[in-house]
Amino acid sequence: MRMFVVKYLFFFLVLITFSPIFATRTPFKKSEPRKRIVLYYHDILFRGNYTANATSAAVTKPTGLGQFMQGLMVVFDDPVTEDQQLHSTPVARAEGLYFYNTKTAYSVWFAYTLVFNSTEYNGTINVMGADMLMEKTRDLSIVGDTGDFSIARGIMTFQTEAIEEFKYFRLKMDIMLYECHKKEI
């Protein structure tokens, strides 16, 4: 019994002695992005009569659960421009899908790749995450990259800039890259 008390007393003394070390914590330092790019995503949904202009199409129908189009999936190959004009020269293409994933609010889940092939950038940025459409700004994760953006990590902030019924929308994409290991951009 005495050995038991001595062990725990020793443990208690060590804990008290080193407690300031355990309690000290380095404060979180907010880092600035190494590269920031602002681009505009343009989506023109195919509705059966304008195939020449459409850049996306619904591939499933809503489930009928709730009034928020849950289950509707859209695949896209959308132009991405440096300004807000749809007919500007694209600097990238957004290729992927989004689907409405809740029955209680308008929310979509995005998974896509920004494919760059311009004089300024070459490579890809992969993006995934939930887009709560009713929020002013929404953050999505940058989950993978190639080329000029190899092994970059970051956040993409969406902001809806224009909506024309269920035919066209434009998103402002604020891309903030915090690390990049292959080529300094």
Side-chain angles (χ1 to χ4, degrees), residues 71-144:
L72 175 68
M73 182 184 294
V74 175
V75 295
F76 57 86
D77 181 9
D78 292 333
V80 175
T81 62
E82 289 183 307
D83 60 25
Q84 298 169 325
Q85 303 304 314
L86 170 62
H87 299 293
S88 293
T89 303
V91 294
R93 303 287 304 177
E95 301 170 353
L97 62 92
Y98 61 87
F99 61 89
Y100 290 82
N101 60 332
T102 65
K103 66 179 188 175
T104 57
Y106 283 110
S107 176
V108 298
W109 192 83
F110 269 94
Y112 70 98
T113 301
L114 280 175
V115 180
F116 290 87
N117 192 8
S118 67
T119 54
E120 194 169 355
Y121 302 114
N122 194 351
T124 64
I125 295 177
N126 299 308
V127 181
M128 294 176 81
D131 180 4
M132 283 69 73
L133 298 173
M134 303 314 284
E135 299 293 325
K136 183 176 178 177
T137 61
R138 293 88 65 194
D139 291 334
L140 282 76
S141 300
I142 294 175
V143 297

Side-chain angles (χ1 to χ4, degrees), residues 16-113:
I16 290 174
T17 304
F18 292 106
S19 64
I21 294 171
F22 297 138
T24 306
R25 182 174 62 151
T26 2
F28 176 73
K29 293 180 183 176
K30 184 177 179 182
S31 61
E32 293 297 317
R34 293 181 80 171
K35 181 69 176 174
R36 185 172 183 192
I37 307 168
V38 176
L39 300 172
Y40 296 87
Y41 169 105
H42 304 271
D43 185 82
I44 304 170
L45 188 61
F46 174 69
R47 300 290 285 184
N49 57 358
Y50 49 95
T51 58
N53 294 330
T55 60
S56 65
V59 294
T60 63
K61 293 183 179 181
T63 61
L65 297 173
Q67 58 187 2
F68 299 100
M69 298 190 297
Q70 181 191 27
L72 175 68
M73 182 184 294
V74 175
V75 295
F76 57 86
D77 181 9
D78 292 333
V80 175
T81 62
E82 289 183 307
D83 60 25
Q84 298 169 325
Q85 303 304 314
L86 170 62
H87 299 293
S88 293
T89 303
V91 294
R93 303 287 304 177
E95 301 170 353
L97 62 92
Y98 61 87
F99 61 89
Y100 290 82
N101 60 332
T102 65
K103 66 179 188 175
T104 57
Y106 283 110
S107 176
V108 298
W109 192 83
F110 269 94
Y112 70 98
T113 301

Side-chain angles (χ1 to χ4, degrees), residues 42-45 47 50 84 86-87 160-171:
H42 304 271
D43 185 82
I44 304 170
L45 188 61
R47 300 290 285 184
Y50 49 95
Q84 298 169 325
L86 170 62
H87 299 293
T160 304
E161 289 212 331
I163 298 176
E164 293 177 17
E165 298 175 3
F166 196 60
K167 297 176 184 174
Y168 169 81
F169 66 87
R170 179 180 66 238
L171 299 175

